[in-house]
Amino acid sequence: MASNLSNTVYAARRKELLALINQLRSVGAQNDLDLPRITVIGNQSAGKSSVVEAISGITVPRDAGTCTRCPMECRLLSSTNDWNCRISIRNEFDCDGNRLREVAEKIFIEKITDKSEVELALRKAQFAVLNPEISWTSILAASAEELKTMGNAKYVPFSQNVVCIDLEGPELTDLSFIDLPGLIQNAEPEVVQLVEDMVVSHIRGNCIILVAVPMTDDIENQKALRLASQEDKDGRRTIGVLTKPDMLTTGSTKVARLWLDVLEDRRHPLRHGYYCTRRPDDDERSAGIAQKQAREAEEKFFKTTIPWCQSTSPTRFGTQNLVFTLSRLLVQVINDNLPKIREDTAKQLSDCCKELARIPPPISDEPATYMLSLVTSFCSEFQTLVRGRADSAELIRLHRQSYGTFKTTIRKTAPSFVPFEANQTVTDFDNCLDDEENDPIAKVSAIAISSMNLTEVRNHVNRCLARELPNNIPYEAKASLILRFQTSWPEAVDDCFRGVETDTLQILNKMMEQYFGRFTLLHSHMKNFVKTLMDEHKERCNVVLKATIETEQMPFTQNGHYLESCQQGWLSKYKAVRSGKVGEADHAAKETKTLAKPSRAKTSSSSSPKAASSMAKTISKLPKRSQQAAQASYDSDSETDSETESETSTTNEQALQEAISLLVKAGLPVSSLSPMDLLGKLVPLDEFETELRVMADVRGYFQVAYKRMIDNIPRFIDLLFVRELGKTLQPFIISKFGMGTSSANERCASYLGEDPMLVSQRDELLARKKRLENVEKELDEYSL
């Protein structure tokens, strides 16, 4: 049957496809691609060697226990040439079981023409795989007995490196398969697991699994079948081959019938079914039975032995039927998967090239020139980050977060005063003015935080009295209250600076990894130099920050207008809260701040009904004639916008002058007072007026100091640390590395030793790229 197939177009294509896969394997394509294959597995002493011999026609080593200790790849080629054999060794793994970057298949024995020499040659090839430290010359020159004593300490019990057998002859069918060590049970646990892992790794993916099952044992005991079913759950890739049918005794009729049920798919069915082979026994082997005679004996055995001769599936018996089915299935799998192999190769080659592009190529420039260019690019990019260009705002964004946190921390230190006595019920209100209400940082309940009441403020002022004249508030009274809200400011400044420093160093470390990570020594020195420079600028900046904090401990401002505005706003708010007008407190404070401005603004008659009521009560205490003039003055400021500006101004002026002249006639010195001051003089003073003013002055001053701090501290950090670092980084690094000296090339060369891991990664990618390019080349040649 094999010879007939060899003369067909199908046979020619089969030959080409198998040759292609074998060639791809020889260049290491199995490291990257899932190549179609046949893998022979079985339990120890399951007759696996007999199956291999039946398919290949050669005698493989047989010993008690496990004989096969590394994979054997048999590649059969039908040819009109005389039978010949070549043995090679393909190293895919190192001694520790790690995959090698480059797969090398080297010829061990060039040509064998005598089949009787193959068994010893295979023993020597396996010995060479298991003893990589011993020279091949010594191994090839040794006899079978000498091999037993040549092992050394470097001996490994099993190996994943492959012994490759190329067979060519007229009696062969185009086929290739991999024979694996038999699964063992009675050995060290790690050895048992090693063999099992090797089997599992080979039967995954595009693999036809050929499982040797001995008839001398129950099929349920076959671990090889169990592993095959785990990897091939629907049984689409598994073929069973039953071995040792001649070892069933004449009285085992029932057992034989059970095995016949297996062969005819009535028990433990598989998609591709089971085949049965019979190989020469030890006596026939010793007599040197020929391959042709062995097949004739096998054919006669199945045709004359019950129950095999009674089977309804005669094509399931004999080596030739098995080989024909395997060859057909393998070619079908190869043909079906060839487009995907092309697609996977192209994709992996593209991915490999992308990964290589991300790894810098080896240095070809002079060391000093290359290193200067590297440092310059690094410093230039950092300068761009410091400037905060639109597409490089990461550093500034991180700094803004630290500055924002600092602003929140300082704002939370705002002093809290409640305008009530110690024994009074406190009405809650927001510890902020009307223009801060939309700020979630400022809008905080006054009683939810530690606060001082009027009684406590009075006691505090009294404790500070020294040589002051009556009705004078001691400077120390306000100054000490101001210092209280500043106690945590130094820590807040430190935290802010630490955040900026940490973010800056994080960005620099990320950049240094990107620019210098491939050079272990250079990277280490760069990190040290950058940290040294940062520490220098940090120390100088800290001096200024400390001085800034110290200056804040001496209350001072020339921003008198803003301070007065804040003080008046808080005084009005405290008075409104104290009088029970909590809902109008912020509005009253706003009105007070408006009146405190140099220019007077028009106010609608409906803008402040309470204020109007308060003014009415005040005017009612005046003499009748004075009441009329004062009322006219007030009403003139409350006229609607429908009146012209000139008329309003004239009316206001006349009413005011008349009211003031009447008050002067009544003996009141009010000729030089503003309307607000006039009303202040007319309304009776609160008994806690002094304490309310202390509260307002301290709370108002906080706003002035707070706004200075949240601006000045970030500006000093940015100027003296961040910008200085960006400005001085390049000259500092160049100086430290001595790039301008006569020995610059030598010094720079010593720093440019690449990281071994990076070198290894690049070499591995280059090796992979070479493998995939070779695969593409083979695929292209096949297409042509």
Side-chain angles (χ1 to χ4, degrees), residues 82-87 109-122 166-168:
D82 293 337
W83 183 94
N84 66 86
C85 170
R86 183 179 68 189
I87 298 176
I109 297 177
E110 177 65 41
K111 192 172 186 180
I112 300 173
T113 57
D114 186 348
K115 287 186 179 181
S116 63
E117 298 177 2
V118 174
E119 182 178 357
L120 179 57
L122 291 177
D166 288 287
L167 300 169
E168 183 180 358

Side-chain angles (χ1 to χ4, degrees), residues 648-777:
T648 300
S649 178
T650 303
T651 303
N652 288 348
E653 184 69 23
Q654 290 174 352
L656 178 61
Q657 291 301 325
E658 184 177 354
I660 290 176
S661 65
L662 290 173
L663 289 171
V664 170
K665 286 181 180 181
L668 297 176
V670 296
S671 57
S672 61
L673 295 180
S674 67
M676 196 68 193
D677 288 339
L678 175 60
L679 291 176
K681 294 288 185 181
L682 296 175
V683 177
L685 292 178
D686 191 302
E687 63 174 309
F688 284 96
E689 182 74 17
T690 299
E691 288 74 15
L692 288 170
R693 288 192 176 277
V694 170
M695 289 179 174
D697 289 352
V698 173
R699 188 62 181 81
Y701 183 78
F702 169 82
Q703 293 298 124
V704 175
Y706 156 70
K707 290 187 179 293
R708 280 200 304 250
M709 284 290 288
I710 63 174
D711 281 345
N712 289 342
I713 294 300
R715 283 159 62 86
F716 283 136
I717 293 174
D718 186 61
L719 175 67
L720 302 176
F721 179 73
V722 180
R723 292 179 180 273
E724 276 298 302
L725 185 60
K727 185 166 62 175
T728 59
L729 185 60
Q730 182 170 334
F732 183 81
I733 296 299
I734 290 175
S735 171
K736 283 292 184 180
F737 281 117
M739 292 184 189
T741 64
S742 57
S743 59
N745 259 331
E746 183 180 348
R747 288 168 60 87
C748 292
S750 67
Y751 291 123
L752 292 174
E754 290 191 278
D755 184 345
M757 290 185 64
L758 186 66
V759 173
S760 174
Q761 184 183 3
R762 185 199 294 126
D763 290 346
E764 185 173 340
L765 286 169
L766 287 171
R768 184 179 173 207
K769 180 173 178 284
K770 182 180 178 182
R771 284 197 309 268
L772 292 166
E773 286 174 341
N774 287 336
V775 170
E776 275 202 335
K777 180 181 177 183

Side-chain angles (χ1 to χ4, degrees), residues 497-515:
F497 195 4
R498 192 179 303 112
V500 172
E501 180 190 16
T502 300
D503 291 336
T504 304
L505 183 58
Q506 182 181 351
I507 292 288
L508 282 167
N509 281 336
K510 182 180 176 182
M511 290 175 57
M512 285 188 285
E513 178 65 35
Q514 176 188 346
Y515 278 90

Side-chain angles (χ1 to χ4, degrees), residues 440-453:
I441 301 173
K443 197 172 176 61
V444 179
S445 168
I447 64 173
I449 54 179
S450 179
S451 57
M452 289 183 74
N453 58 40

Side-chain angles (χ1 to χ4, degrees), residues 333-401:
V333 172
I334 295 173
N335 199 51
D336 291 345
N337 283 276
L338 203 54
K340 189 173 187 307
I341 291 174
R342 290 181 182 278
E343 182 182 336
D344 288 348
T345 301
K347 183 180 184 305
Q348 291 197 38
L349 183 57
S350 174
D351 292 344
C352 184
C353 290
K354 289 178 182 176
E355 288 183 50
L356 271 172
R358 286 195 288 266
I359 298 177
I363 300 170
S364 56
D365 298 336
E366 273 192 347
T369 303
Y370 179 84
M371 193 161 150
L372 178 61
S373 173
L374 204 61
V375 169
T376 301
S377 298
F378 166 76
C379 295
S380 176
E381 182 178 345
F382 182 67
Q383 272 280 36
T384 301
L385 290 175
V386 169
R387 288 194 297 268
R389 200 174 62 195
D391 59 346
S392 304
E394 182 182 7
L395 184 68
I396 302 303
R397 178 178 55 79
L398 291 172
H399 290 175
R400 283 187 179 277
Q401 291 176 2

Side-chain angles (χ1 to χ4, degrees), residues 435-692:
D435 55 3
E436 295 180 281
E437 283 189 349
N438 293 327
D439 186 351
I441 301 173
K443 197 172 176 61
V444 179
S445 168
I447 64 173
I449 54 179
S450 179
S451 57
M452 289 183 74
N453 58 40
L454 289 170
T455 305
E456 290 170 330
V457 173
R458 174 170 288 181
N459 293 337
H460 172 75
V461 172
N462 290 336
R463 285 194 297 269
C464 295
L465 286 173
R467 296 179 179 275
E468 284 77 20
L469 293 174
N471 301 320
N472 280 300
I473 300 172
Y475 167 79
E476 180 61 28
K478 294 181 182 179
S480 59
L481 289 177
I482 288 171
L483 288 177
R484 284 188 185 183
F485 64 70
Q486 296 181 1
T487 54
S488 63
W489 285 10
E491 183 180 352
V493 171
D494 287 344
D495 289 343
C496 178
F497 195 4
R498 192 179 303 112
V500 172
E501 180 190 16
T502 300
D503 291 336
T504 304
L505 183 58
Q506 182 181 351
I507 292 288
L508 282 167
N509 281 336
K510 182 180 176 182
M511 290 175 57
M512 285 188 285
E513 178 65 35
Q514 176 188 346
Y515 278 90
F516 311 109
R518 62 186 287 204
F519 310 111
T520 307
L521 187 60
L522 176 59
H523 188 202
S524 175
H525 277 72
M526 278 296 300
K527 290 172 72 174
N528 290 334
F529 292 157
V530 167
K531 189 66 171 65
T532 298
L533 184 61
M534 287 182 70
D535 288 343
E536 289 181 7
H537 290 310
K538 177 182 176 181
E539 186 175 350
R540 295 191 189 102
C541 185
N542 267 326
V543 171
V544 176
L545 296 181
K546 184 178 179 182
T548 303
I549 296 172
E550 288 178 355
T551 59
E552 287 299 335
Q553 295 173 353
M554 298 177 289
F556 174 81
T557 183
Q558 293 194 84
N559 192 358
H561 173 69
Y562 180 65
L563 175 62
E564 182 182 358
S565 174
C566 291
Q567 290 171 334
Q568 289 297 331
W570 278 104
L571 182 60
S572 297
K573 178 157 187 169
Y574 288 144
K575 286 185 176 182
V577 171
R578 177 161 169 74
S579 64
K581 303 164 185 169
V582 180
E584 301 167 16
D586 289 328
H587 180 76
K590 185 176 181 181
E591 288 296 311
T592 303
K593 290 177 71 176
T594 304
L595 289 171
K597 295 181 181 179
S599 60
R600 293 177 57 196
K602 287 193 292 183
T603 306
S604 67
S605 60
S606 60
S607 63
S608 181
K610 280 292 184 181
S613 175
S614 177
M615 177 63 78
K617 289 179 182 179
T618 301
I619 294 174
S620 67
K621 298 177 183 180
L622 298 175
K624 189 170 182 181
R625 238 183 118 185
S626 299
Q627 288 180 22
Q628 295 173 354
Q631 185 64 51
S633 175
Y634 180 77
D635 290 344
S636 67
D637 280 341
S638 305
E639 289 181 359
T640 61
D641 290 340
S642 60
E643 297 182 80
T644 64
E645 185 175 349
S646 59
E647 291 175 347
T648 300
S649 178
T650 303
T651 303
N652 288 348
E653 184 69 23
Q654 290 174 352
L656 178 61
Q657 291 301 325
E658 184 177 354
I660 290 176
S661 65
L662 290 173
L663 289 171
V664 170
K665 286 181 180 181
L668 297 176
V670 296
S671 57
S672 61
L673 295 180
S674 67
M676 196 68 193
D677 288 339
L678 175 60
L679 291 176
K681 294 288 185 181
L682 296 175
V683 177
L685 292 178
D686 191 302
E687 63 174 309
F688 284 96
E689 182 74 17
T690 299
E691 288 74 15
L692 288 170

